[in-house]
Amino acid sequence: MQSGPITIETLDGLEDQVAEVEQSDQQYQVWIYAPLQPITNLGTGKTYQAPYAARVFGLPNTHIIRHVEDAELGHLQFHIWSLGFFTGQRLSATEAGFLDATPLKPGKLNDFVLLGDSLPKAVLLAEAYWLDNMHDRKQLTRFEAAIHALFLAQNPRLLQFEGFMFLYTALDACFAIMKDILPGPYPRTHGERTKWMCDHYGVPVPDWANPDGGAEIASLRNPTIHEGLYMGEPLGFAIEGRGSNRNLNLQMQAVVSRLLVAILGGAETDYVKSAVTSRQNIGLRLR
């Protein structure tokens, strides 16, 4: 695929590499997990496997990404983060770029399906965003951090409160990005932030983000971060949403995803304006 200055090519042997990974005993339900941690005995030099995972691990390289200019590594890394977001799959060019677990199939980490020629257009949006912010690296890194937190929150092994904390971090990263590019006045409290962001881009405001209703996620965040209490209990001893059809974390993922699309330049798409309460994937057609 070529889009503007970016070219992405498939490396030889892709099918064999995919088959090898899919047959790994680390794979389960289209996710692959970190292998057991190798431990070397300094006295004997022998290596054995610890009874816990290594956490950080690598996967074979399958594609190569090029820029027509002699782009620096950070430039291409930004494109890799953006591509991962739009394809819904963690991508990495580093030797050990995966943490704990990662899906083997695209579309597992987002709630949209790219329509038409939206993928090459997403590459162009990422390039434009890079050029607009190349002298403010913090903005670029914040965008990558928001994607990373969104992805980490979806690890199947996480407890609910852990996913909530990652997603709240992703929302805060989006707020930091927007606060630096938009004129004030800005929200004074955590409880006003999500509504402010949604209102700016036309994202439907969920009930848990409405300050008039007490800004529920801010009320959850404060005791979680400052007191170690989630839903009034020590972390992990209670869950939110028991007895209801609402999935708070899933809706938070939807809000973060829409904000990221909007921040990158897709604010006028139907996807950004779509309901965040749906459990279905939604078409995203970039203009």
Side-chain angles (χ1 to χ4, degrees):
M1 182 189 80
Q2 181 167 359
S3 181
I6 298 295
T7 301
I8 301 171
E9 301 173 5
T10 303
L11 296 174
D12 293 337
L14 174 64
E15 293 184 0
D16 291 339
Q17 288 182 330
V18 170
E20 181 179 351
V21 172
E22 289 181 340
Q23 294 168 11
S24 168
D25 56 8
Q26 297 164 226
Q27 185 269 145
Y28 179 67
Q29 293 184 343
V30 305
W31 283 73
I32 188 162
Y33 293 83
L36 293 178
Q37 174 70 53
I39 300 292
T40 301
N41 187 304
L42 297 179
T44 64
K46 292 183 178 180
T47 300
Y48 61 94
Q49 288 183 330
Y52 51 83
R55 301 205 67 190
V56 177
F57 65 105
L59 289 173
N61 292 327
T62 57
H63 294 77
I64 187 168
I65 181 170
R66 293 189 175 94
H67 198 285
V68 292
E69 299 177 0
D70 187 19
E72 60 179 284
L73 179 60
H75 192 162
L76 292 176
Q77 290 281 20
F78 182 81
H79 274 287
I80 291 170
W81 278 107
S82 177
L83 279 168
F85 171 64
F86 280 105
T87 59
Q89 183 178 20
R90 173 77 172 100
L91 303 176
S92 177
T94 61
E95 183 177 352
F98 302 92
L99 177 64
D100 291 329
T102 192
L104 296 174
K105 302 292 184 183
K108 295 295 291 183
L109 296 175
N110 60 20
D111 69 342
F112 56 79
V113 177
L114 292 175
L115 303 177
D117 60 350
S118 291
L119 183 57
K121 287 182 177 178
V123 173
L124 294 178
L125 287 179
E127 178 72 4
Y129 189 86
W130 169 272
L131 294 175
D132 287 344
N133 294 278
M134 60 187 297
H135 299 300
D136 185 1
R137 295 304 179 87
K138 184 172 286 188
Q139 285 292 76
L140 298 168
T141 306
R142 284 169 176 161
F143 192 83
E144 296 170 348
I147 295 171
H148 189 44
L150 172 66
F151 284 2
L152 288 177
Q154 298 175 70
N155 183 333
R157 297 190 63 201
L158 293 186
L159 297 176
Q160 187 191 62
F161 80 90
E162 295 172 311
F164 171 82
M165 292 169 72
F166 279 127
L167 290 167
Y168 205 104
T169 298
L171 284 172
D172 269 354
C174 290
F175 175 74
I177 293 171
M178 293 175 63
K179 188 172 181 290
D180 271 7
I181 60 176
L182 298 175
Y186 307 112
R188 292 177 299 173
T189 67
H190 273 273
E192 300 169 322
R193 288 183 178 184
T194 303
K195 184 178 186 300
W196 178 79
M197 292 189 289
C198 289
D199 283 345
H200 180 78
Y201 287 123
V203 178
V205 180
D207 57 357
W208 44 262
N210 193 333
D212 294 337
E216 187 176 351
I217 59 166
S219 298
L220 277 176
R221 170 205 177 265
N222 291 339
T224 300
I225 297 296
H226 299 296
E227 302 173 41
L229 296 174
Y230 184 76
M231 296 300 297
E233 297 290 340
L235 302 179
F237 281 85
I239 61 172
E240 194 280 333
R242 185 187 296 275
S244 73
N245 291 324
R246 187 181 75 171
N247 186 322
L248 176 61
N249 282 14
L250 193 65
Q251 292 184 20
M252 291 175 71
Q253 292 172 28
V255 171
V256 171
S257 183
R258 282 156 181 75
L259 290 175
L260 289 173
V261 171
I263 288 169
L264 202 63
E268 299 307 314
T269 58
D270 292 339
Y271 167 74
V272 169
K273 317 296 183 184
S274 65
V276 300
T277 54
S278 174
R279 294 174 181 261
Q280 297 180 337
N281 283 358
I282 299 170
L284 169 57
R285 188 182 299 277
L286 294 171
R287 302 171 184 175

